[in-house]
C-alpha cells in the first residue's frame, strides 16, 4: 500500500512539474530567462551561469542549472543569445532540459535614447522520466508512464522598453503550448511574464536597483520584488520577496569583468510541507570596452 501511494504521488507530481516552469531566485542574475529582449543589453558580450537547489537538505531535492551567453551584434542591429537550462527532480527521476536561441533587434531614438526591443525565442525541449525509479511493482497498462521521453519545439516572444536606467516589458513563453505530458497528454500552458526595473546611482561607487516580476501560468500567479545594491563599486547586497511564498538574501562581489553571487531563500508559505528553502550560486562574465569601467553600470547593462 505504501508503494502504491508513493507511485501515485510521483505521477501526480510529475504531471504538475511537466505543466509548470521552474523559476530562478534573482532576475538580475538570469536576464535572458527573465525577458529574452535583454539579449545584448550590455552592448558587448556576457555570460551568466546559475545553479540552484531547492530544499538542499532533502534527498528528493529539486536542482536547476542555467547558462546564457548573449551579445550585441552591430551588423544585426540587435542582440543574440544562446541559453541552456536543466531541471532535475528526485535524484534524476524527472529531467527537463532545453536550449534557446534568441534574436532581439534594437530600435532606438537617437535624440532621446529611448529604446524598443522586441525579441523572438526558439526553444528545443526534452523531458524525461526514469521509469525504473518510479515503478515499484507490476502495474496495469492504465498506471504506467506512457511516454518516458518527449521532445518538442516551441516559440516565445518578448518586448522591452528602455529609457536610461528604467526597463519595463513583457514576455509570452510557450506560445504554441507543446504536449509535454508523461502520463497522457499535457499541454504546457503559456506563461505570461511582466518585468520592470529601475536603477538609482547614488554616487560613483554606489547604486541601488529595484525590480519586480509578475508571472501567470495556468492558474498559478507569482509576484516578485527585489532590491539589490552595489557598495564601494564591488560589494553586492540583495533582498527579495515573493508575495505570500518566500523571501531571500543575496550576497556577492562584482569586479569590472566578473561577478559571483550566493543567495538563500526561506519558504514563508504556511501551505508548504517542507520549508528548508533553497540555495543559489550565480557566476557572470562581462566583456566590454575598458573605457566603460569608469562608470558604475546597472545590472542590466553590466
Amino acid at each position: 500500500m505504501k508503494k502504491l501511494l508513493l507511485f501515485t504521488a510521483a505521477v501526480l507530481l510529475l504531471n504538475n512539474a511537466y505543466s509548470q516552469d521552474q523559476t530562478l531566485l534573482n532576475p538580475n542574475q538570469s536576464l535572458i530567462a527573465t525577458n529574452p529582449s535583454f539579449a545584448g543589453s550590455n552592448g558587448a558580450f556576457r555570460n551568466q551561469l546559475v545553479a540552484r537547489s531547492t530544499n538542499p537538505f532533502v534527498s528528493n531535492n529539486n536542482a536547476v542549472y542555467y547558462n546564457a551567453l548573449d551579445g550585441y551584434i552591430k551588423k544585426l542591429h540587435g542582440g543574440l543569445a544562446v541559453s541552456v537550462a536543466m531541471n532535475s527532480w528526485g535524484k534524476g527521476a524527472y529531467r527537463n532540459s532545453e536550449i534557446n536561441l534568441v534574436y532581439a533587434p534594437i530600435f532606438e531614438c537617437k535624440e532621446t535614447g529611448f529604446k524598443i526591443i522586441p525579441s523572438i525565442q526558439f526553444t528545443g525541449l526534452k523531458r524525461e522520466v526514469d521509469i525504473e525509479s518510479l515503478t515499484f511493482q507490476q502495474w496495469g497498462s492504465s498506471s504506467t508512464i506512457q511516454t518516458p521521453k518527449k521532445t518538442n519545439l516551441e516559440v516565445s516572444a518578448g518586448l522591452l522598453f528602455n529609457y536610461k536606467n528604467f526597463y519595463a516589458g513583457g514576455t509570452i513563453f510557450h506560445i504554441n503550448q507543446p504536449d509535454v505530458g508523461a502520463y497522457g497528454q499535457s499541454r504546457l500552458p503559456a506563461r505570461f511574464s511582466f518585468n520592470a526595473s529601475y536603477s538609482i546611482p547614488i554616487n560613483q561607487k554606489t547604486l541601488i536597483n529595484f525590480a519586480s516580476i509578475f508571472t501567470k501560468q495556468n492558474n498559478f500567479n507569482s509576484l516578485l520584488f527585489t532590491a539589490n545594491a552595489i557598495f564601494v563599486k564591488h560589494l553586492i547586497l540583495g533582498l527579495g520577496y515573493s508575495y505570500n511564498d518566500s523571501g531571500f538574501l543575496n550576497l556577492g562581489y562584482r569586479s569590472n569583468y566578473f561577478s559571483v553571487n550566493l543567495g538563500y531563500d526561506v519558504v514563508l508559505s504556511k501551505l508548504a510541507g517542507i520549508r528548508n528553502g533553497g540555495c543559489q550560486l550565480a557566476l557572470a562574465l562581462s566583456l566590454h570596452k575598458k573605457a566603460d569601467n569608469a562608470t558604475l553600470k546597472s545590472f542590466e547593462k553590466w
Side-chain angles (χ1 to χ4, degrees):
M1 183 63 181
K2 182 178 180 180
K3 291 181 178 180
L4 175 60
L5 292 175
L6 286 172
F7 179 82
T8 303
V11 169
L12 292 174
L13 184 57
L14 281 172
N15 270 345
N16 180 67
Y18 260 58
S19 301
Q20 302 299 326
D21 289 344
Q22 298 295 318
T23 57
L24 297 171
L25 193 64
N26 196 333
N28 290 323
Q29 300 163 1
S30 51
L31 289 171
I32 309 302
T34 299
N35 188 328
S37 291
F38 275 116
S41 66
N42 73 339
F45 289 93
R46 169 179 53 203
N47 188 81
Q48 292 185 318
L49 185 148
V50 177
R52 172 168 167 76
S53 177
T54 306
N55 298 319
F57 307 109
V58 178
S59 59
N60 286 339
N61 67 328
N62 178 29
V64 180
Y65 305 95
Y66 165 85
N67 189 50
L69 173 66
D70 74 291
Y72 176 77
I73 309 299
K74 188 175 181 179
K75 291 184 178 182
L76 296 178
H77 304 287
L80 288 179
V82 177
S83 67
V84 294
M86 192 273 285
N87 169 244
S88 175
W89 172 85
K91 295 183 178 180
Y94 159 69
R95 296 183 299 275
N96 167 30
S97 57
E98 64 181 56
I99 181 169
N100 307 287
L101 178 63
V102 177
Y103 173 55
I106 299 175
F107 301 94
E108 180 179 5
C109 176
K110 298 296 182 180
E111 296 179 354
T112 63
F114 180 78
K115 298 178 182 178
I116 299 177
I117 313 169
S119 63
I120 184 75
Q121 176 174 282
F122 300 96
T123 302
L125 292 173
K126 183 171 73 170
R127 304 203 167 189
E128 303 173 86
V129 178
D130 184 355
I131 300 178
E132 293 183 357
S133 65
L134 296 177
T135 305
F136 301 97
Q137 54 182 311
Q138 296 296 322
W139 306 95
S141 58
S142 62
S143 299
T144 58
I145 301 295
Q146 297 178 2
T147 310
K149 180 187 296 185
K150 277 193 175 181
T151 57
N152 291 278
L153 294 176
E154 68 166 33
V155 179
S156 304
L159 183 64
L160 191 65
F161 301 96
N162 169 228
Y163 179 69
K164 295 183 178 180
N165 291 327
F166 175 74
Y167 291 85
T171 310
I172 304 177
F173 295 94
H174 325 306
I175 293 176
N176 56 324
Q177 300 186 31
D179 176 18
V180 295
Y183 192 70
Q185 186 181 63
S186 178
R187 293 283 179 180
L188 185 59
R191 175 164 62 94
F192 300 88
S193 175
F194 303 93
N195 64 285
S197 62
Y198 182 63
S199 295
I200 304 174
I202 305 301
N203 52 50
Q204 293 183 350
K205 296 184 178 181
T206 307
L207 179 143
I208 300 176
N209 175 274
F210 298 96
S212 64
I213 300 178
F214 173 77
T215 61
K216 178 177 178 59
Q217 186 175 23
N218 209 0
N219 295 322
F220 296 88
N221 299 326
S222 174
L223 181 59
L224 174 68
F225 297 98
T226 67
N228 285 274
I230 301 176
F231 300 102
V232 295
K233 203 175 180 179
H234 298 297
L235 299 180
I236 301 173
L237 173 62
L239 298 171
Y241 175 69
S242 180
Y243 183 72
N244 203 31
D245 184 21
S246 63
F248 76 83
L249 171 68
N250 179 65
L251 299 173
Y253 174 84
R254 187 175 86 172
S255 72
N256 292 332
Y257 298 105
F258 78 92
S259 70
V260 55
N261 292 268
L262 181 63
Y264 182 76
D265 63 298
V266 178
V267 177
L268 302 176
S269 174
K270 296 180 180 179
L271 299 178
I274 301 174
R275 305 178 67 179
N276 290 330
C279 296
Q280 178 169 302
L281 174 65
L283 303 173
L285 176 67
S286 181
L287 302 178
H288 46 72
K289 296 179 181 179
K290 188 175 182 180
D292 293 340
N293 296 333
T295 59
L296 186 61
K297 289 181 173 294
S298 65
F299 291 91
E300 296 87 354
K301 296 178 180 178
W302 180 81

